[in-house]
Amino acid sequence: GQNIDQPTEMTATEGAIVQINCTYQTSGFNGLFWYQQHAGEAPTFLSYNVLDGLEEKGRFSSFLSRSKGYSYLLLKELQMKDSASYLCAVRDPDSNYQLIWGAGTKLIIKP
Amino acid sequence: DTEVTQTPKHLVMGMTNKKSLKCEQHMGHRAMYWYKQKAKKPPELMFVYSYEKLSINESVPSRFSPECPNSSLLNLHLHALQPEDSALYLCASSQDRELSNQPQHFGDGTRLSIL
């Protein structure tokens, strides 16, 4: 079967750096997305990885290792507004347009 | 603000009511999606429309009925819902369902409560 694992909850301090990990076990691989979702709001697209390596976008970076079935989202210079859930999603290799979602990681930022 | 607009933002209805959720996007996307999301859970796919044709129905009960009047609009008609259908209903769109590097863009959702 297809499976995605993320930590349920993480806590970090304002101004610090945090890394949110995602591991996946799927029969194939067509790309991995990271979304941010504030409570009661829509998921917002953050990043897409399909090749190994690091993609950087301002304070946010995402890394992928296909051989390890592993990705992480790195958030730098944390701000209070970064408190949200972070969802990892992998394209279903059997159905390219469907996303297999992780349960999400709730990130709590403390002053 | 998102580029996918959903109305209403909140809806409370009884189990015998009929209501509709609406979704609109003007990004020229040709794939549109309905998701259901319960608290602290990831979104669950319900329906996918591609070029205005229903291409995916994830074994959703018939009390949910989708409609795609044109490439910019997506409706979800609700009838005789159950209390367990209370959830956040999200609409999303993407450029083309089969372009793997294109993300789905989500609306802010409709918070639905069934009494």
Side-chain angles (χ1 to χ4, degrees), chain A residues 1-13:
Chain A
Q2 324 280 26
N3 191 50
I4 298 182
D5 290 310
Q6 304 178 233
T8 303
E9 188 173 297
M10 298 181 71
T11 302
T13 304

Side-chain angles (χ1 to χ4, degrees), chain A residues 30-31 33 35 37 39-45 48 50 87 91 95-99 101-104 106, chain B residues 2 33 35 37 40-43 45 48 56 58 88 90 97-104 106-108 111:
Chain A
N30 278 348
F33 295 86
Y35 282 85
Q37 187 174 25
E41 297 183 11
T44 304
F45 169 69
Y48 171 76
V50 68
L87 296 135
R91 281 206 180 271
S95 173
N96 199 43
Y97 36 84
Q98 294 195 46
L99 296 176
W101 294 86
K106 182 179 180 180
Chain B
T2 63
Y33 311 77
Y35 286 88
Q37 188 177 28
K40 300 182 181 180
K41 298 288 187 183
L45 184 65
V48 180
I56 293 288
E58 287 292 326
L88 181 67
L90 293 163
R97 75 173 195 193
E98 296 191 12
L99 291 178
S100 59
N101 66 338
Q102 295 301 309
Q104 294 178 19
F106 288 82
D108 284 335
R111 177 75 58 191

Side-chain angles (χ1 to χ4, degrees), chain A residues 81-97:
Chain A
K81 67 178 182 179
D82 297 330
S83 292
S85 286
Y86 292 85
L87 296 135
C88 170
V90 174
R91 281 206 180 271
D92 183 344
D94 295 326
S95 173
N96 199 43
Y97 36 84

Side-chain angles (χ1 to χ4, degrees), chain B residues 29-70:
Chain B
H29 289 174
R30 303 316 300 265
M32 296 186 77
Y33 311 77
W34 278 116
Y35 286 88
K36 173 184 177 181
Q37 188 177 28
K38 298 285 250 184
K40 300 182 181 180
K41 298 288 187 183
E44 297 172 44
L45 184 65
M46 299 174 73
F47 303 104
V48 180
Y49 273 82
S50 178
Y51 291 83
E52 300 158 53
K53 288 186 168 37
L54 181 64
S55 59
I56 293 288
N57 176 339
E58 287 292 326
S59 302
V60 179
S62 59
R63 56 186 185 268
F64 295 92
S65 174
E67 178 196 16
C68 187
N70 60 53

Side-chain angles (χ1 to χ4, degrees), chain B residues 12-14 25 39 47 61 63 78 87 94 98-99:
Chain B
V12 180
M13 57 188 286
Q25 57 90 12
F47 303 104
R63 56 186 185 268
L78 314 173
S94 64
E98 296 191 12
L99 291 178

